[in-house]
Amino acid sequence: MTSPAAVAGLLAMLVATVGVGVFARRFARTTSDLLVAARAVPPPANAAAIGGEYLSAASFLGVAGLVMKFGYDVLWYPVGYAAGYLVLLVFIAGPLRRFGAYTIPDFAEGRFNSPAFRRLAVGLVIVIGLFYTLPQMKAAGITVASAASVPYVVGVVVMAVVVVTIVVAGGMRGVTLVQAMQFMVKLFAISVPVFVLLIHFGTPGSVFSAVTAHQSATLPNGTTVHVSQGEEWRVTRSVAVQVDHPTRVRLASAEPAPQPVYVGAPQATPPPYRDQLVTLDSGGVLPAGRVRWEQSADVSLPAGEPVPYGAATPLSPTSSWLRPFGPLAGGSGQPLLFTYSLIVGILCGTMGLPHILVRFYTNPDASAARRTASLVLVLVGVFYLWPPLYGVIGRVQAPQLYTGDLTDSVVLLLPRLIPTPLVGDALTAVTAAGAFAAFAATLSGLLISLAGGLGHDVYGRWLRPAATGPQRNRAFKIGAVAAGVAAALLGLLVENFDISVLVGWAFAIAASSFFPLLVLGIWWRGLTTAGAALGTAIGGIAATLAIVTTMLAAASPSLADVLTRNSALAVILAQPAIVTIPIAFVVMVSVSLLRPRVPIGVAAKMVQLHIPDRLGLRRDYIPD
Amino acid sequence: MRRQLSLSLRVAATLAVILGMQPLVAWVWPGYADLHILGIPLPWLVLGVASYPVLIALGLYYVRKADGIDDEFSDLLE
């Protein structure tokens, strides 16, 4: 169903973003102006801007959707996103600001005097950046699709075009005001609707009792859902449905309802259907088991009955949904290993994301950088209190999202269920605007990092080192378009993956490569160039291969089979951080100890990283 | 630098213990998940609500201490 309010919210946010961007650019015309001017940005404003860029679609939509789907275990995601900032604060914020490197490739090159290492780092930035754009594209797709009743594909393409245009026109980048505004919009858009929802649907305590009242998610009111041809349901208890026109369905009632094979990935090999083709004239009873819709239809589900589950949504009985090691960690077969690996990956991955470090450069000194990071922690901490509540309310009020594998849209849908007409519309517009702010901010930050890597490094340094300024500028823009096209194409493939799971993967790759590089590079003078480069490469490649294998298992029955039988292997491939981070550290340390050739000038570098700013030893390192 | 590093490691270790304990508690004592406060399961409150003030407090503590170490070092040299 189209929601004019949601469309209005999206458009309003688009206009606000471009408008404030144009307004702010009068004061900061070029990048270097911006960098100089930005030294005057006080930590609170800077923190709001960083928060604006950091809180992505995964935070705004994904956490709520994943909580609704899997329950308690998912709380580790928002807590990890926030705690990752604490790790960044205590290990790298201050020294990295003194060093003056504001991207990881800059740090790799500056700390180790190695252009080759820079190339490696740029390559990894592009891999992590692309992984991180996937969930943003998915969020864009479902936001537009649910606001305007268009196919997912249209949503992805429209939003990719919009954000690439903004980036190429230079409208959003680095403008503190725009990013700070987007943080405020997101905080407002996630917190205010929750209060109204709680007024309508009861206190958190009563929402939890409503969850507990049914062992399976149960519809509070009769609801009509749209099914497409080929869609599959798993029916837990036989349910009487009505259809808007005669519809053929295939039933496999005798077979047990299989769980999705694999966490985060859709079902790979459903057992073959024993054909039992039935035509529902206007309605009928779907027996417990599997159902495959052979025709599209609008299907009405009755109130008070457990909802059928979509093929990509695992069954989530209330008792396990509410408890630790529920469908997410418990479903993996290795609950403790899974939980710890997830935590470690998110905690250590934050600092390695390509678009995070840039803004620390806008602090005047290390002490301000630390204060800024601690304020970011306050801001994101306040933000993350709210998304899980949407997931819990969604389980009670909108369980039909389980049926359509649509839990990622729960934040967008819930305000529409508020019975007071104007309030419901207004809040629908607000959450749509917040979702736009979320993916637009992060996506543009990522596209800038990717375009910078493609335009500045790949083109400007390797292909055409003699390129002139305008040529480089054009290369940057072409890079932005190329990255946008790649992101959109990849985005089309991930409709059935969970936003937060995709984000968790980007974190795991960053944690396995850049986290050891940054921590050892800053705190251990004995780290050699060879050790750092090998550790970064091996950690990053191992994590990427593990995750790609997991994604392939969604398409390959034989691979999925192997993983189903070896749950420990499956967990390590899906959440590789707990293995790949130690591998990267061991490689870095052992190679450095075996061939102890520390880079020339390491003493000066360590002084630059660690001597307090007051003593005036800092020299900014700005390449080119 | 050594004092800064030990401060960082102390804060990080505290974080690891606070977060790392929770899965372990839930694992060895399943009754943990049956406790409720105001109708909300205790593990949800501990992880989803109480974590954030703790993180923020750790962050502020670190910033104060780190600035203090920098200042002491600078005073010593000047």
Side-chain angles (χ1 to χ4, degrees):
Chain A
M1 58 187 163
T2 305
S3 163
V7 175
L10 287 178
L11 289 178
M13 196 58 215
L14 174 62
V15 170
T17 302
V18 174
V20 178
V22 169
F23 172 75
R25 281 175 70 80
R26 292 207 188 147
F27 300 102
R29 204 163 292 278
T30 68
T31 321
S32 56
D33 277 356
L34 179 78
L35 287 179
V36 177
R39 298 289 166 75
V41 176
N46 220 341
I50 291 174
E53 208 167 21
Y54 186 55
L55 295 177
S56 71
S59 307
F60 195 85
L61 299 178
V63 167
L66 215 56
V67 166
M68 180 170 172
K69 199 172 196 175
F70 292 113
Y72 169 86
D73 293 331
V74 175
L75 294 177
W76 286 109
Y77 280 90
V79 171
Y81 296 150
Y85 237 92
L86 183 62
V87 176
L88 183 152
L89 165 63
V90 302
F91 284 119
I92 69 168
L96 214 58
R97 172 61 198 95
R98 290 197 192 102
F99 199 66
Y102 61 109
T103 66
I104 295 171
D106 289 346
F107 176 78
E109 186 184 24
R111 168 74 172 76
F112 299 99
N113 309 317
S114 166
F117 198 174
R118 183 189 180 90
R119 282 197 278 276
L120 170 70
V122 168
L124 261 171
V125 162
I126 292 174
V127 171
I128 297 169
L130 278 177
F131 256 101
Y132 206 60
T133 58
L134 297 183
Q136 314 303 327
M137 294 313 302
K138 177 177 174 190
I142 62 170
T143 305
V144 176
S146 87
S149 297
V150 292
Y152 173 79
V153 183
V154 176
V156 166
V157 171
V158 166
M159 278 301 152
V161 169
V162 167
V163 175
V164 167
T165 310
I166 291 176
V167 168
V168 168
M172 198 183 277
R173 180 52 188 172
V175 181
T176 312
L177 200 55
V178 176
Q179 288 174 340
M181 172 197 78
Q182 285 183 327
F183 174 78
M184 296 307 168
V185 169
K186 280 180 255 192
L187 183 58
F188 178 82
I190 203 79
S191 58
V192 171
V194 162
F195 286 105
V196 182
L197 288 169
L198 291 177
I199 289 170
H200 280 280
F201 299 130
T203 61
S206 68
V207 173
F208 271 101
S209 344
V211 169
T212 321
H214 302 283
Q215 175 56 11
S216 184
T218 298
L219 279 169
N221 311 107
T223 306
T224 303
V225 296
H226 180 78
V227 294
S228 315
Q229 185 196 352
E231 207 170 311
E232 294 199 22
W233 285 4
R234 282 163 307 138
V235 180
T236 50
R237 201 170 78 197
S238 66
V239 60
V241 300
Q242 302 194 312
V243 287
D244 61 338
H245 60 82
T247 309
R248 273 179 295 130
V249 295
R250 232 174 253 277
L251 305 175
S253 54
E255 289 168 32
Q259 287 280 45
V261 173
Y262 198 54
V263 182
Q267 170 88 30
T269 42
Y273 268 92
R274 237 176 288 139
D275 274 5
Q276 191 191 344
L277 202 55
V278 174
T279 302
L280 303 175
D281 289 325
S282 63
V285 173
L286 301 177
R290 286 192 305 144
V291 174
R292 180 186 155 92
W293 294 90
E294 297 295 332
Q295 287 171 303
S296 302
D298 285 330
V299 184
S300 301
L301 299 165
E305 294 293 328
V307 287
Y309 278 71
T313 306
L315 301 180
S316 53
T318 300
S319 53
S320 86
W321 187 88
L322 277 174
R323 304 172 71 96
F325 316 118
L328 181 65
S332 69
Q334 301 281 340
L336 268 188
L337 180 64
F338 184 94
T339 308
Y340 280 118
S341 197
L342 175 70
I343 299 171
V344 168
I346 295 178
L347 282 189
C348 303
T350 303
M351 67 173 68
L353 297 179
H355 61 300
I356 290 298
L357 295 179
V358 180
R359 268 216 152 256
F360 278 88
Y361 193 63
T362 61
N363 290 295
D365 56 35
S367 173
R370 289 194 291 249
R371 275 205 307 282
T372 299
S374 69
L375 285 172
V376 173
L377 205 50
V378 175
L379 295 177
V380 299
V382 171
F383 179 90
Y384 284 130
L385 287 173
W386 312 112
L389 269 171
Y390 284 86
V392 181
I393 299 173
R395 183 172 173 93
V396 177
Q397 295 296 335
Q400 68 271 23
L401 295 177
Y402 291 115
T403 313
D405 296 328
L406 291 171
T407 45
D408 267 340
S409 352
V410 63
V411 171
L412 301 168
L413 181 83
L414 278 183
R416 298 192 200 173
L417 301 180
I418 293 172
T420 327
L422 270 180
V423 178
D425 288 339
L427 294 181
T428 303
V430 163
T431 53
F436 179 88
F439 58 71
T442 303
L443 193 55
S444 62
L446 285 167
L447 285 185
I448 303 263
S449 299
L450 290 170
L454 291 172
H456 179 87
D457 282 286
V458 176
Y459 176 82
R461 289 201 173 197
W462 313 331
L463 299 181
R464 291 275 307 268
T468 59
Q471 280 176 325
R472 280 163 196 274
N473 251 334
R474 213 173 58 232
F476 174 87
K477 287 177 179 174
I478 294 171
V481 174
V485 170
L489 288 178
L490 291 169
L492 295 180
L493 302 176
V494 295
E495 188 179 357
N496 284 331
F497 289 83
D498 290 300
I499 291 175
S500 275
V501 170
L502 290 166
V503 167
W505 287 343
F507 274 74
I509 300 174
S512 313
S513 51
F514 289 146
F515 169 71
L517 167 67
L518 288 166
V519 169
L520 286 184
I522 286 174
W523 294 103
W524 186 37
R525 71 173 60 224
L527 183 63
T528 64
T529 309
L534 267 178
T536 306
I538 291 176
I541 290 170
T544 310
L545 285 181
I547 286 159
V548 168
T549 311
T550 298
M551 294 178 90
L552 288 179
S556 154
S558 54
L559 196 55
D561 252 22
V562 174
L563 293 186
T564 324
R565 280 200 302 275
N566 300 297
S567 57
L569 177 67
V571 166
I572 285 168
L573 289 176
Q575 300 289 347
I578 206 164
V579 173
T580 48
I581 293 175
I583 289 178
F585 270 105
V586 167
V587 170
M588 284 189 188
V589 172
S590 50
V591 171
S592 298
L593 290 179
L594 287 175
R595 295 184 60 203
R597 294 188 196 158
V598 292
I600 301 158
V602 68
K605 306 243 149 117
M606 293 317 263
V607 164
Q608 203 186 342
L609 282 163
H610 295 290
I611 296 299
D613 305 88
R614 239 171 75 195
L615 300 173
L617 295 170
R618 197 183 78 216
R619 289 183 309 267
D620 280 343
Y621 165 83
I622 310 177
D624 286 1
Chain B
M1 175 182 165
R2 185 154 297 166
R3 289 182 60 197
Q4 289 284 12
L5 181 58
S6 88
L7 170 67
S8 297
L9 290 175
R10 273 206 315 277
V11 174
T14 313
L15 173 73
V17 170
I18 290 173
L19 294 185
M21 280 300 286
Q22 295 186 38
L24 218 53
V25 168
W27 186 253
V28 297
W29 178 38
Y32 173 53
D34 297 325
L35 305 176
H36 288 72
I37 292 180
L38 298 173
I40 304 170
L42 187 63
W44 288 72
L45 282 177
V46 170
L47 184 56
V49 178
S51 295
Y52 301 110
V54 172
L55 290 177
I56 291 168
L58 278 175
L60 296 178
Y61 168 83
Y62 169 78
V63 168
R64 239 194 40 224
K65 287 285 177 182
D67 276 352
I69 294 174
D70 272 4
D71 282 345
E72 267 177 47
F73 184 81
S74 306
D75 291 343
L76 205 67
L77 287 195
E78 273 173 0

